[in-house]
Amino acid sequence: MNLVAALLMLMAVSTGASLVLAMIFGTLTLWIAWVSLWAGIGIAAVVFIRCRHLKSDEPGPTKFDWVMGFLFILFCLRQFLWVYFRRGAEMWTLNWRHGFSDLAMHLTYIANIANGMRFWPDNPLFVGEKLTYHFGIDLFSAIFSKIGVPLHHSLPLIGVTAGILTLFAL
């Protein structure tokens, strides 16, 4: 469980630090992305080390829990490893009937944040309005995009990691 706590702190501190620094300096820059990511890694390391000796009094998982966990992980892998991919000049997704429009919105937010959107950001989809959508995971993804990790690598990794963290929370 200390790894779960450390990964949650990595995501929370990196996102929070990048938001605060981007609001102070006006936009997400390369140095803000690196500073935020390293701050998250540092806090995650401290949490991991400090929590390694903690033991839970809760009973261990049952056979049913293991089966459900395995199925949940399979679902996460299926959902996020093919969240989107390129085939030639086209972008494809396995969820072409249901999830594609939401994916386009998230890709738009990530790209706009990584490409220098001013903070507090305007909504890139509704002209003249401030962004009121909860864009935390998009900001976290934009950190990786800003430091040069391609989205087709970072989005599946973030999705599968968040899914596994959700499994442990359940």
Side-chain angles (χ1 to χ4, degrees), residues 95-154:
N95 298 324
W96 63 275
R97 289 188 179 158
H98 305 291
F100 195 71
S101 62
D102 192 42
L103 177 62
M105 179 190 72
H106 289 288
L107 292 175
T108 299
Y109 289 165
I110 293 166
N112 281 336
I113 293 168
N115 291 330
M117 178 191 292
R118 304 295 297 168
F119 273 79
W120 192 259
D122 289 329
N123 192 329
L125 303 177
F126 298 107
V127 177
E129 291 191 27
K130 293 293 183 188
L131 185 60
T132 57
Y133 182 81
H134 42 281
F135 63 97
I137 197 66
D138 298 324
L139 179 57
F140 185 69
S141 300
I143 292 170
F144 289 100
S145 183
K146 191 70 174 179
I147 64 174
V149 179
L151 276 177
H152 64 274
H153 292 306
S154 65

Side-chain angles (χ1 to χ4, degrees), residues 13-23 28 32-33 36 119 139 143:
V13 170
S14 296
T15 304
S18 65
L19 177 64
V20 169
L21 291 172
M23 288 179 67
L28 180 67
I32 289 175
S36 301
F119 273 79
L139 179 57
I143 292 170

Side-chain angles (χ1 to χ4, degrees), residues 65-126:
D65 294 335
W66 283 108
V67 170
M68 289 297 105
F70 177 73
L71 293 175
F72 190 86
I73 288 174
L74 286 180
F75 171 78
C76 287
L77 292 172
R78 187 251 178 235
Q79 181 68 26
F80 292 112
L81 291 182
W82 292 276
V83 68
Y84 86 96
F85 55 94
R86 297 203 182 272
R87 186 176 286 169
E90 298 175 338
M91 187 171 75
W92 288 63
T93 182
L94 290 181
N95 298 324
W96 63 275
R97 289 188 179 158
H98 305 291
F100 195 71
S101 62
D102 192 42
L103 177 62
M105 179 190 72
H106 289 288
L107 292 175
T108 299
Y109 289 165
I110 293 166
N112 281 336
I113 293 168
N115 291 330
M117 178 191 292
R118 304 295 297 168
F119 273 79
W120 192 259
D122 289 329
N123 192 329
L125 303 177
F126 298 107

